[in-house]
Amino acid sequence: MKKKECMRLGKYLYLIFSFCVLLFIVGCNQDSASDWQSSKDAAIESGLKQEEADRDSILSIEEFEDETFVFYEYMGGLGVANIIKSEKGYGWKRSKPYTAFETGGDLAYSTSGFEVKTKTGLSASVLIGRTFDSSIKEMKLLGDGTERKLKVFGDNGFFYAIHKIPTDSVDVSPVVN
């Protein structure tokens, strides 16, 4: 090859390599991908739009240890997002996939859980569940210090709680009236 052809090939390879490195850096920098808003409410609206969900899908907005969590229904599953705060404003972060529950069998309810660590360093456990018996309107949560009643939400039957101890250390049962 001639010297000019080698130089062009070298520049071409350098550009391709630089572009790949740039894509890698942008992909790894999740903060740059966040849609920062001026308020929590605006971050929730923006997050729901990103998730292609509407405001009516919100089951509740919970404050826990100075953190904001949004519980919402999406396509039959339960979504949990954390509203993060930084010097850039407020942002929506859903780090877990939607949770759907099998409806087969004779179960009255089903539960699951996961651990969450927020950008501020808060470590918490999230218990989520779904009732399959429409007569169950509340669930009782034991094991995290005090007995708590968890509301069962409407037609979908979802219930949930945020707590500090591991999810497998708590017990949940239906409230019988």
Side-chain angles (χ1 to χ4, degrees), residues 41-95:
D41 196 49
I44 292 169
E45 290 294 330
S46 176
L48 289 170
K49 186 176 179 181
Q50 289 172 17
E51 303 287 338
E52 298 180 358
D54 58 29
R55 186 80 180 180
D56 293 338
S57 66
I58 294 177
L59 301 174
S60 72
I61 300 170
E62 306 284 330
E63 297 291 330
F64 182 78
E65 305 266 334
D66 296 325
E67 295 276 348
T68 303
F69 293 88
V70 180
F71 292 85
Y72 61 101
E73 181 179 8
Y74 182 69
M75 295 179 63
L78 181 64
V80 182
N82 176 233
I83 303 302
I84 55 177
K85 183 179 180 183
S86 80
E87 66 280 350
K88 298 174 189 173
Y90 296 88
W92 171 279
K93 177 146 176 63
R94 180 181 55 86
S95 58

Side-chain angles (χ1 to χ4, degrees), residues 112-145:
S112 183
F114 58 89
E115 307 302 312
V116 64
K117 185 164 181 137
T118 67
K119 285 202 174 254
T120 64
L122 171 70
S123 292
S125 296
V126 179
L127 168 80
I128 55 178
R130 186 172 194 175
T131 62
F132 306 114
D133 179 344
S134 61
S135 69
I136 301 172
K137 303 297 180 200
E138 284 185 313
M139 300 295 285
K140 178 173 40 176
L141 177 72
L142 297 168
D144 70 340

